[in-house]
Amino acid sequence: MASRPQSIRNLSWAVVRDGAARRHVYRREVDIHLKDSKITEITPAGARPSGPGEEVIDGTGMLALPGLINIHSHPSTEPGYRGVREDHGVPEQQMTGLMERLQAFRLGNDGRQAAATLAYSEMMRAGTTMACDVTVPFDGWLETMAQSGMRFYAAPTFASARWGMSAPQTVTWKWDEARGLAEFETAKRVMDDAEAHNSRRLDAMVFPAQIDTVTPALFAAGRQHADESGRGFSTHICQSVVEVREMIRRHNMTPIQWAAANGLMKSDTVLAHCILLDDHPQIRWHTSKDLDLIAESGASVAHCPQPFARYGLAMDHVGRYRARGVNVGLGTDCAPHNLIEEMRLAIVAGRLMSEDIRSLDTAGAFEAATFAGAAALGRDDIGALAPGMMADIVLVDINHPLMQPARDPLRSFVFHAADRAVRTVLVDGEVVLAEGEPVHLDPKAAMETLAEAQARMIRDAPKIDYAQRAGDQISPLSLGMSSGD
């Protein structure tokens, strides 16, 4: 039976909302009171005695944080690339390995469900309580989400084309518009099912897959559906030099300029990645207006620094986007699905690109993972600890060695301890992670299934790769194998 405490007592520290402001502040020695899935009051510790039979979590030695919000992730596929993608890239494609992997590797549905189980467990261990899950839908997807106890936005993708290759330097687009329309109809049914789910923790987002793989007509249909249904709208955009150059070839304008000209960017739009703007050092198009177009539209950006840093690519720079008024939230995109690590890397990459320590600090990164994520999803009931907010709460062990000394526990959490110090996670006031372990999921069983599915994926690569290469040739092991002699 799910544990639903009525209060968390004697917290050593808490990060709470500063009145009605979009700002977090510290409080010391407090109790958090809960009722009907919400926070009712935050009081000085011991100010209100426990009632008879009241279920209490002892917060002694704990830091309470609002649950983190991951606005872009691929949990059902990316754990299957663990040990495959970390060093994989194609120099002829400006180092990205995205197109080569997707045309060569396919994870079966059994592996995808196992991957989702592992990823959702990892998300909770890293303090995430809400995530946007972007995938081609498969049987059991919504049920696995609901079983985790987390909040989710299901984002079933649809596309008119798939990437292919004819040589390392040549990406192709394989068009099948009828298939794209059929996928859109499936996506609409899945979104309806998510919103009707009896868990009451699933929502939906309209997600045409990539700016370069969806026809203008299908993009228009997706945008219209978002407008009519009141659902958010998102797509992958400005994520590779290959994509940007292809959109310029087709339309003589950048992906952002094309999206703006076609009415895709509105206040409910989440632009996934959005790194390679017209003035980015790896693009340097003759215009310099993409950032202004994003800001003027009110669209949000889902910043996922880790997968791109692996290719030697970074946003230029996160502080510039925020200063221009763009709402920048955070996502994990790939494994590890650890939003704390993304906060840390967003800070470091922003400073490296700007050569300025002021590009992003700890408070700004935490705001991106909370307030900004909530705003991107049109939510005002998550992302902060305050009366009236949903009881999505993370408890961090202040006494973990990597949290000590606890002069500034949020900095210690982001830069040092990360998920290693997360002990308890509540969603809607229900404990979904206890003593660092998921309450409702079985990640150990999923590990074996995923390992078998990954082995099949690697073995079957020659059947679908454009050059019939072995999976171990596309992504060799990091070290050679010894014969033992």
Side-chain angles (χ1 to χ4, degrees), residues 423-473:
R423 292 292 172 264
T424 304
V425 173
L426 294 84
V427 177
D428 269 349
E430 176 194 344
V431 175
V432 297
L433 186 88
E435 295 300 324
E437 291 298 325
V439 173
H440 304 298
L441 296 176
D442 184 0
K444 291 182 180 178
M447 287 190 293
E448 293 184 11
T449 301
L450 182 58
E452 293 170 0
Q454 185 194 68
R456 288 199 309 272
M457 179 184 79
I458 299 295
R459 184 186 65 233
D460 292 345
K463 300 177 183 177
I464 57 176
D465 176 61
Y466 79 100
Q468 293 82 54
R469 294 169 297 171
D472 288 336
Q473 180 183 351

Side-chain angles (χ1 to χ4, degrees), residues 4-26:
R4 287 187 173 275
Q6 285 85 54
S7 64
I8 306 172
R9 299 276 180 169
N10 301 312
L11 285 159
S12 299
W13 293 77
V15 173
V16 303
R17 190 175 66 193
D18 185 10
R22 182 170 151 168
R23 184 174 62 190
H24 298 291
V25 293
Y26 283 130

Side-chain angles (χ1 to χ4, degrees), residues 221-439:
R223 179 65 264 184
Q224 182 179 356
H225 179 74
D227 292 340
E228 293 174 350
S229 66
R231 292 167 177 153
F233 182 84
S234 186
T235 193
H236 293 94
I237 188 169
C238 298
Q239 66 174 335
S240 73
V241 176
V242 172
E243 167 220 305
V244 175
R245 288 180 176 171
E246 175 64 13
M247 291 297 288
I248 290 172
R249 185 195 69 78
R250 293 179 196 172
H251 307 291
N252 194 29
M253 60 180 76
T254 66
I256 292 295
Q257 292 163 23
W258 186 85
N262 285 272
L264 301 184
M265 299 196 305
K266 300 183 180 181
S267 61
D268 66 350
T269 302
V270 177
L271 302 171
H273 308 315
C274 205
I275 292 176
L276 291 161
L277 304 188
D278 52 3
D279 58 356
H280 190 278
Q282 292 193 24
I283 299 297
R284 299 206 184 280
W285 187 234
H286 66 87
T287 63
S288 184
K289 62 183 182 181
D290 282 5
L291 187 58
D292 288 339
L293 289 171
I294 298 167
E296 290 160 8
S297 73
S300 297
V301 168
H303 183 32
C304 310
Q306 184 150 215
F308 300 94
R310 294 173 185 175
Y311 303 143
L313 176 62
M315 177 181 283
D316 185 31
H317 55 93
V318 62
R320 182 171 72 107
Y321 283 53
R322 284 162 51 90
R324 183 59 185 83
V326 175
N327 183 57
V328 181
L330 292 178
T332 51
D333 192 62
C334 68
H337 288 291
N338 187 323
L339 208 63
I340 313 164
E341 293 187 358
E342 297 296 337
M343 281 192 275
R344 185 192 313 135
L345 186 55
I347 294 168
V348 173
R351 293 173 180 179
L352 284 169
M353 292 298 289
S354 65
E355 300 180 356
D356 189 341
I357 198 169
R358 295 166 297 182
S359 175
L360 191 65
D361 61 11
T362 305
F366 194 68
E367 288 170 4
T370 52
F371 285 125
L377 300 172
R379 302 285 295 262
D380 60 5
D381 60 343
I382 58 176
L385 300 185
M389 302 294 285
M390 303 306 295
D392 296 359
I393 304 170
V394 178
L395 299 182
V396 177
D397 182 7
I398 291 286
N399 294 316
H400 190 285
L402 294 176
M403 291 292 294
Q404 290 289 325
R407 173 184 178 268
D408 190 331
L410 187 61
R411 281 188 185 140
S412 295
F413 181 61
V414 172
F415 278 95
H416 304 279
D419 54 300
R420 288 164 289 201
V422 173
R423 292 292 172 264
T424 304
V425 173
L426 294 84
V427 177
D428 269 349
E430 176 194 344
V431 175
V432 297
L433 186 88
E435 295 300 324
E437 291 298 325
V439 173

Side-chain angles (χ1 to χ4, degrees), residues 153-154 184 187-196 203-206 222-223 225-234 268-269 377:
Y153 277 74
F184 181 39
K188 286 190 281 189
R189 290 194 296 272
V190 172
M191 288 188 284
D192 287 342
D193 290 344
E195 291 172 340
D203 287 286
M205 177 177 285
V206 181
R223 179 65 264 184
H225 179 74
D227 292 340
E228 293 174 350
S229 66
R231 292 167 177 153
F233 182 84
S234 186
D268 66 350
T269 302
L377 300 172

Side-chain angles (χ1 to χ4, degrees), residues 82-88 471-472 474-482:
R82 188 172 284 129
V84 174
R85 71 165 287 169
E86 293 84 358
D87 295 323
H88 174 242
D472 288 336
I474 297 168
S475 177
L477 297 180
S478 59
L479 301 175
M481 294 293 294
S482 169

